[in-house]
Amino acid sequence: MITTQEKIKIIDLASLPIQIGKEVVIKGESIALFRLSNEDVRAIEGICPGTNGPLAEGIVSGEYVYCPLRDWKISLITGEVQKPDDGTVKTYKTEVIDSYVYITV
C-alpha cells in the first residue's frame, strides 16, 4: 500500500509562542506543536502514550516535553519516552517557509 504525504500550512510562526505548546488537529489526529528557544519547530503526536495526557499542555525543557499528568519526559526529536518510563509518540516533519509553519502528514 502506498501512502502519500501532504505538507499542510498550519500557523504563522509569530503566533506560536516560544516553549508553549499548541494543539492542532489534522485529519482527525491531535498534534502538539512546539517552538523551541533555539527557534526550531517540532511536532509530535498530541497524546502521552502512558497517561493519555495532552502533550501540548506540557512543560518544555530543551528538546523535551513533560506530560502534564505524570511528568513523563518525551523527546521532541525522536518521540521516545525517557526511562524509567517506556513508549513512543509519532513525530512529524516541520518546516518554516515564508514565516509559516508547515507539517508533513
Side-chain angles (χ1 to χ4, degrees):
M1 181 173 148
I2 297 174
T3 58
T4 58
Q5 293 187 327
E6 179 180 0
K7 188 185 301 185
I8 300 173
K9 186 178 186 179
I10 301 298
I11 191 171
D12 178 6
L13 182 62
S15 299
L16 187 60
I18 293 175
Q19 294 190 289
I20 304 290
K22 174 150 184 78
E23 181 184 26
V24 295
V25 177
I26 300 173
K27 297 183 178 187
E29 292 185 48
S30 171
I31 297 173
L33 188 62
F34 300 93
R35 180 176 171 196
L36 305 181
S37 58
N38 66 3
E39 295 294 327
D40 285 350
V41 177
R42 302 287 179 189
I44 61 172
E45 183 178 347
I47 304 298
C48 179
T51 67
N52 291 323
L55 292 177
E57 295 177 18
I59 295 173
V60 176
S61 178
E63 294 180 336
Y64 296 92
V65 64
Y66 289 83
C67 175
L69 298 184
R70 292 205 186 126
D71 284 336
W72 282 37
K73 184 179 179 182
I74 300 169
S75 170
L76 294 171
I77 297 173
T78 66
E80 292 180 24
V81 174
Q82 305 302 292
K83 299 294 180 195
D85 301 308
D86 192 34
T88 59
V89 294
K90 187 175 180 181
T91 59
Y92 298 87
K93 180 182 176 186
T94 61
E95 292 180 80
V96 178
I97 302 170
D98 295 329
S99 298
Y100 281 89
V101 176
Y102 290 79
I103 295 177
T104 301
V105 293

